[in-house]
């Protein structure tokens, strides 16, 4: 029996070898990256386009070297472990990897075995015990590269899914950082508002005391309460925004709504001005524009979609050609039959092999339209790739302009707060000296309160600009 199996394998081996040799070509276009006319410099502030700033990029830094707040770093680490969107992205990669394995399996022979054991005793007192083993081999000869193109498309889809996962990581880290800076900004606004309430309560007490001594009017007292009432009305709204921002951060962390621990405050007000927790430079290096094509995961994902669509054209073209199948089958049996004291051997083995071809003749235009569909999908993928690149450069330009101008706005707003603080001091001095009415004090205090809130928002905008620039450049979210 073993000799017969060896003979069968020896006969089938040349056929399989020939099939592998014939599978050396593949119809359809090979992928070549399309030429992209990328800008030579990013559109933004002039200082960000200096040649010495082009060799390096802030996007090459990992996020923990960009955001120095230790509490923010811990929040980001938690999000990367527990966020549900990221977990889904990881599973999509695993599914795409399994799909690649399924598709690639079509390039290999399909072997099945069918073992059977039988035995018994007949009416003529014939006893038998026979073990049968049958096997089939089916191999689709990939003469025109249909299955190889399908595998190429599946591999590109896997790589695209991995790039999509990196996009989720990029978005997740930037969202956590953005919401955290917003939270610290709201904390600062709440702090400014509560300090304004305390200051205005003292002012109202002083005005009432002056009224009792006949050096102020009831109108002065009412005017003094105006800023206090406005500040008191803003406290619950700021607390609402803080609570909702904390909820948003916890959802990103894969947790239920809860409080969020704080790290460094956004800024501290001192007698000589504001002290900020971090020093943000006016300009950041951006790197070469050509590096953006490799750094941004959404661009890489769009290119992998183009690779897959290009391979599918080859699949559609291969459908026009014959589909060749090699089929082999064989079997063997051993055992014995006992009759009248003698043993009769069972048949030992058989084997067959064949080749078959299927050629489409008339499909009602299905194959032709399938090819048209594949080409249209490839053109759509190319347009999407070009559009993604265009939007990426738009994101970088917006982020560069925003970061630069937010920095200028914060500096000027800081100076405005200093001037208004001096105005409040002068107006109070004039009012106490009797040379002006309380309306002047009220106007300067109201302006100072609004200017301080605007300054807090300007500082938050500066942080948000940093986040958006790092994200737009495809930062190193390692």
């Amino acid at each position: 029996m073993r000799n017969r199996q060896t003979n069968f394998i020896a006969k089938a081996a040349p056929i399989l070898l020939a099939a592998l040799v014939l599978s050396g070509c593949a119809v359809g276009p090979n992928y070549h990256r399309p030429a992209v006319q990328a800008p030579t410099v990013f559109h933004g502030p002039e200082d960000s386009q200096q040649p010495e700033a082009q060799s390096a990029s802030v996007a090459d830094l990992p996020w923990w070297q960009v955001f120095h707040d230790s509490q923010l770093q811990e929040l980001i680490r938690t999000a990367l472990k527990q966020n549900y969107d990221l977990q889904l992205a990881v599973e999509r990669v695993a599914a795409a990897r399994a799909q690649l394995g399924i598709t690639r399996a079509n390039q290999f022979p399909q072997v099945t075995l069918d073992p059977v054991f039988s035995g018994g005793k007949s009416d003529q007192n014939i006893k038998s015990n026979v073990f049968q083993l049958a096997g089939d081999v089916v191999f689709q000869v990939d003469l025109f590269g249909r299955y190889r193109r399908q595998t190429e498309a599946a591999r590109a889809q896997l790589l695209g899914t991995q790039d999509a996962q990196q996009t989720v990581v990029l978005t997740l880290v930037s969202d956590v950082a953005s919401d955290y800076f917003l939270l610290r900004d709201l904390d600062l606004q709440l702090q400014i508002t509560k300090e304004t309430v305390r200051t205005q309560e003292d002012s109202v007490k002083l005005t009432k005391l002056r009224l009792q001594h006949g050096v102020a009017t009831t109108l002065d007292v009412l005017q003094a309460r105006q800023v206090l009432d406005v500040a008191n009305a803003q406290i619950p709204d700021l607390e609402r925004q803080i609570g909702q921002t904390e909820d948003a951060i916890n959802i990103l962390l894969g947790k239920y709504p809860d409080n969020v621990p704080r790290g460094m405050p956004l800024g501290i007000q001192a007698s000589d001005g504001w002290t900020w927790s971090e020093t943000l430079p006016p300009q950041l290096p951006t790197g070469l524009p050509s590096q953006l094509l490799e750094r941004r995961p959404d661009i890489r994902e769009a290119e992998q979609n183009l690779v897959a669509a290009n391979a599918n054209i080859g699949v559609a073209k291969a459908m026009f050609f014959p589909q060749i199948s090699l089929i082999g089958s064989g079997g063997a049996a051993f055992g014995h039959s006992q009759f009248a004291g003698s043993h009769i051997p069972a048949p030992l083995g058989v084997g067959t092999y064949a080749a078959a071809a299927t050629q489409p003749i008339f499909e009602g235009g299905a194959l032709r339209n399938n090819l048209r569909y594949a080409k249209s999908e490839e053109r759509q993928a190319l347009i999407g790739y070009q559009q993604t690149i265009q939007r990426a450069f738009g994101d970088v330009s917006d982020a560069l302009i925003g970061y630069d101008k937010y920095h200028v706005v914060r500096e000027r707003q800081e100076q405005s707060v200093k001037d208004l603080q001096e105005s409040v001091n002068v107006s109070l001095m004039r009012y106490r000296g009797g040379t002006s009415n309380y309306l002047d004090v009220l106007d300067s205090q109201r302006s100072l309160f609004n200017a301080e809130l605007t300054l807090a928002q300007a500082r938050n905008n500066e942080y948000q600009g940093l986040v958006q620039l790092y994200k737009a450049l495809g930062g190193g979210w390692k």
Side-chain angles (χ1 to χ4, degrees), residues 136-148:
D136 295 311
V137 179
V138 178
F139 181 59
Q140 300 287 338
V141 182
D142 196 18
L143 183 60
F144 300 101
R146 172 186 173 185
Y147 297 121
R148 277 170 291 140

Side-chain angles (χ1 to χ4, degrees), residues 13-62:
I15 299 177
L16 296 176
L17 180 61
L20 293 174
V21 173
L22 290 173
S23 301
C25 62
V27 298
N30 294 322
Y31 176 75
H32 298 284
R33 174 179 287 184
V36 177
Q37 297 297 327
T40 56
V41 293
F42 292 112
H43 176 237
E46 294 298 328
D47 292 342
S48 68
Q49 300 181 26
Q50 296 298 324
E52 59 269 19
Q54 296 297 320
S55 58
S57 174
V58 66
D60 295 328
L61 299 175

